[in-house]
Amino acid sequence: MSTELLYMDESGDNGLVEGSTDFYILAGVSIETRYSKEFFWKILDFRKSITKQYGLKFQEIKGSDIFYHRGAFFNSLVNPPGLEKIHSNLVKILCQSPVELFATVKSKKGFRQQQFQLTKNSVKLFSQEIWREFLSTYESYLINKSRQLKYPQNGLIYFDDNPSQKKYIREIIRERSRKYDLESEFPEAGIVEDVIFRDSQESYFIQLADILAFTVSRIVCGRGESDVFAIKPEIADILITKLKGNVELYI
């Protein structure tokens, strides 16, 4: 039996009122435990290099801070071309490492069109839908990998700590983690345990999931008004190629 650790974050908001984002995105970076140490040191070395080069002082690298030139990046030596280089190198690390990337993109407009009218419960229903869609993709990946390797693959999920979402996220993940079908080919395969909530400031891997989610949002929606650079087509292409088969668009 083999275990993968899936680190997740979001981009956009799950609100449905006017002024909320057009899309809500869930993204994840799945790492086999045998590669986690190697991958951690690769990220740590990169962080050390940009800290030294640009005089950065930060706990957390956020996708929005890179694109908007704010936070620790604003009070540093880095300029917009430097930010574009930092972002491109982070995407290359994600795409050239032995990890799997996942993303689900859900349109608010499409959901609203399915509803007769929005109610207090609509946001919860919207959030439940995208989480079930994302988890279905991830669990299908684990089961297909189990078939290929001929032994069960498990996934343990870490998500950026968000008190307002904890209850329903835990409920949805339990729908899958507590299911055990003895008649299936690999009953031991799939998502295990409850979700582990963790402050993104304390996890380099959740920060990478944030960068992945924000990058996917820019590929889907285009350059934002406050962005100081645009994603180069070749960078978008390598990410789309890496995501192939693990990305779901509900537009």
Side-chain angles (χ1 to χ4, degrees):
M1 188 177 295
S2 178
T3 301
E4 300 198 14
L5 307 178
L6 177 68
Y7 294 87
M8 292 181 62
D9 209 340
E10 61 191 347
S11 181
D13 60 75
N14 61 354
L16 298 169
V17 297
E18 186 176 345
S20 65
T21 56
D22 292 334
F23 296 90
Y24 183 51
I25 297 168
L26 291 177
V29 180
S30 189
I31 311 163
E32 285 189 49
T33 52
R34 59 179 171 154
Y35 294 127
S36 58
K37 188 76 170 180
E38 172 189 342
F39 191 50
F40 174 82
W41 280 102
K42 186 180 290 188
I43 299 302
L44 182 61
D45 286 346
F46 178 75
R47 290 170 68 106
K48 286 180 177 178
S49 70
I50 62 173
T51 296
K52 182 177 180 180
Q53 183 176 358
Y54 299 112
L56 292 168
K57 294 181 180 180
F58 57 82
Q59 281 187 299
E60 183 173 12
I61 300 179
K62 293 182 67 69
S64 56
D65 287 350
I66 297 174
F67 277 83
Y68 299 158
H69 196 183
R70 69 182 186 190
F73 296 104
F74 182 76
N75 296 309
S76 71
L77 301 175
V78 67
N79 56 18
L83 290 168
E84 188 277 326
K85 183 178 179 181
I86 288 171
H87 174 261
S88 294
N89 286 333
L90 284 166
V91 172
K92 288 176 182 177
I93 288 172
L94 283 170
C95 294
Q96 295 168 2
S97 299
V99 300
E100 290 292 331
L101 307 181
F102 298 84
T104 298
V105 181
K106 194 167 184 67
S107 165
K108 310 281 185 71
K109 181 179 179 181
F111 179 81
R112 290 191 197 100
Q113 290 174 344
Q114 296 171 7
Q115 304 295 305
F116 178 71
Q117 65 179 11
L118 296 180
T119 66
K120 290 182 178 180
N121 204 38
S122 295
V123 170
K124 181 179 179 181
L125 290 174
F126 176 78
S127 300
Q128 288 175 333
E129 276 193 15
I130 187 171
W131 269 92
R132 289 190 175 108
E133 289 154 358
F134 182 95
L135 294 176
S136 176
T137 299
Y138 184 59
E139 195 153 61
S140 293
Y141 156 77
L142 292 172
I143 292 170
N144 289 334
K145 191 172 181 180
S146 299
R147 292 194 182 105
Q148 293 169 6
L149 299 178
K150 303 194 184 308
Y151 60 85
Q153 300 292 300
N154 291 152
L156 184 61
I157 298 176
Y158 290 79
F159 189 69
D160 188 16
D161 192 17
N162 187 330
S164 67
Q165 299 184 44
K166 277 186 175 182
K167 184 177 179 181
Y168 78 79
I169 291 174
R170 184 173 284 116
E171 288 173 351
I172 293 169
I173 289 178
R174 283 179 177 178
E175 290 175 2
R176 292 185 174 273
S177 65
R178 299 191 175 188
K179 181 176 62 178
Y180 195 82
D181 184 2
L182 288 172
E183 296 183 1
S184 66
E185 187 177 359
F186 291 98
E188 307 95 334
I191 297 166
V192 297
E193 261 286 4
D194 276 353
V195 57
I196 299 171
F197 293 99
R198 191 168 182 189
D199 189 336
S200 59
Q201 288 190 6
E202 300 172 356
S203 172
Y204 290 177
F205 297 152
I206 290 178
Q207 292 171 37
L208 287 176
D210 170 84
I211 291 164
L212 172 61
F214 200 90
T215 303
V216 170
S217 78
R218 288 301 180 258
I219 292 173
V220 172
C221 302
R223 181 172 180 172
E225 292 182 2
S226 300
D227 294 356
V228 297
F229 66 90
I231 300 173
K232 290 182 177 179
E234 58 268 29
I235 296 299
D237 287 344
I238 65 170
L239 182 57
I240 291 168
T241 300
K242 180 77 172 182
L243 278 164
K244 190 175 182 180
N246 294 334
V247 61
E248 297 291 339
L249 302 176
Y250 297 90
I251 298 175

